[in-house]
Amino acid sequence: VEAGKPIHYCRAVDDLNDNLSNFNKQSRRRVIALLSTIFFNNEDLKNEFNHSLRFYGKDGRNGKSLFSSLLQRTFGPENCQIFSIADLSDVKTLYAVANALVAIDSDSSGRTISEDAAAMFKSLTSGERMQIKGLYQKATTVETCCNIIAFSNVLPSSSDKTAAYLRRLDIIRSDYQIIDNDEEVGANSKRTLIALSDDWFKELRSPEASQYFFELLLVESQRLIETRK
């Protein structure tokens, strides 16, 4: 990056971020800021920005699969974990998420999150050191730096009496559907403002898109460290 700006540029990436943020500039800035904490690798920074994104759209088809694929191409599939927040109380799930850079709950369920799962979620988003035992392994201490991102068609609920789980969620409305012109828009949604084409999808899946997304988040992470806001 140069002079606090990305070197590369990809319009399709900006379009997708706008779509997921309901074409709201303030929401988009918040999304980019929270995603940039992927680069924060210590407990102090994680504690300061300890929120997790949850994209919420009642009818779906808002670009979550495209976004999940973009994240995996940008940071590598080996650094991304697909999981369910409701399963964080499971030792195997917790171990996999704690050792990931990005954890994606691509279809977060409406079932109530247990107190144990909520406690694990809190620790992960805060970057706390956790003692975790992998399958057929001894317990090890992991310094977590995972960024948890969820997509859902319903609002979350938790049995955690302290509401720690809900306090750490940044819920972003995502009502614009990325669908073909001949497809019917969902009852609670709107048709995307993006001028869709085969070239647009090809651009979004290009190496340049991943490079630009990486640089965009890296620049934003440095801004957050400097300004703390």
Side-chain angles (χ1 to χ4, degrees):
V1 295
E2 294 179 350
K5 294 181 180 179
I7 297 172
H8 297 79
Y9 179 68
C10 178
R11 175 63 183 270
V13 171
D14 282 352
D15 286 343
L16 182 58
N17 282 322
D18 284 337
N19 194 87
L20 285 168
S21 306
N22 254 13
F23 294 93
N24 180 290
K25 291 182 179 179
Q26 185 174 352
S27 294
R28 184 183 186 278
R29 285 195 295 268
R30 182 64 174 167
V31 167
I32 297 300
L34 290 178
L35 287 173
S36 77
T37 63
I38 288 172
F39 292 102
F40 292 174
N41 61 357
N42 68 62
E43 189 172 346
D44 290 340
L45 285 172
K46 282 290 186 182
N47 258 318
E48 194 165 347
F49 301 96
N50 61 345
H51 280 251
S52 173
L53 284 169
R54 186 183 182 108
F55 295 98
Y56 165 64
K58 288 185 177 180
D59 300 317
R61 304 194 68 181
N62 48 17
K64 66 181 181 183
S65 296
L66 293 170
F67 192 66
S68 176
S69 296
L70 176 61
L71 283 166
Q72 292 180 68
R73 286 193 302 273
T74 301
F75 296 101
E78 68 278 6
N79 296 313
C80 300
Q81 179 68 34
I82 307 300
F83 81 116
S84 172
I85 292 173
D87 293 334
L88 280 177
S89 54
D90 175 73
V91 174
K92 290 186 291 184
T93 300
L94 179 62
Y95 184 83
V97 171
N99 284 281
L101 188 62
V102 183
I104 305 166
D105 187 342
S106 57
D107 193 15
S108 197
S109 69
R111 59 179 167 147
T112 300
I113 304 299
S114 69
E115 288 191 38
D116 288 343
M120 295 302 100
F121 179 86
K122 172 183 175 295
S123 296
L124 288 165
T125 54
S126 301
E128 296 176 7
R129 292 180 179 86
M130 302 178 69
Q131 192 169 62
I132 305 171
K133 185 179 182 298
L135 190 64
Y136 307 123
Q137 296 180 18
K138 294 181 179 179
T140 57
T141 300
V142 178
E143 292 190 22
T144 60
C145 60
C146 183
N147 192 305
I148 298 177
I149 303 162
F151 298 88
S152 72
N153 302 336
V154 293
L155 290 171
S157 61
S158 170
S159 58
D160 174 22
K161 295 181 177 61
T162 68
Y165 167 65
L166 298 176
R167 285 201 309 271
R168 283 167 171 75
L169 291 177
D170 256 57
I171 299 175
I172 304 294
R173 285 299 299 263
S174 190
D175 298 324
Y176 286 83
Q177 293 186 305
I178 298 179
I179 55 177
D180 293 333
N181 289 330
D182 59 351
E183 292 184 279
E184 187 175 345
V185 179
N188 304 288
S189 302
K190 306 171 187 176
R191 190 177 300 277
T192 184
L193 304 180
I194 302 170
L196 298 176
S197 67
D198 289 343
D199 286 342
W200 184 85
F201 286 100
K202 187 181 296 183
E203 181 184 0
L204 186 63
R205 297 186 176 103
S206 69
E208 290 77 14
S210 302
Q211 184 63 35
Y212 168 62
F213 194 41
F214 186 93
E215 293 173 5
L216 179 69
L217 299 184
L218 180 59
V219 168
E220 179 63 14
S221 70
Q222 298 309 299
R223 186 195 68 80
L224 282 181
I225 290 172
E226 290 177 7
T227 64
R228 285 298 200 269
K229 63 181 179 180

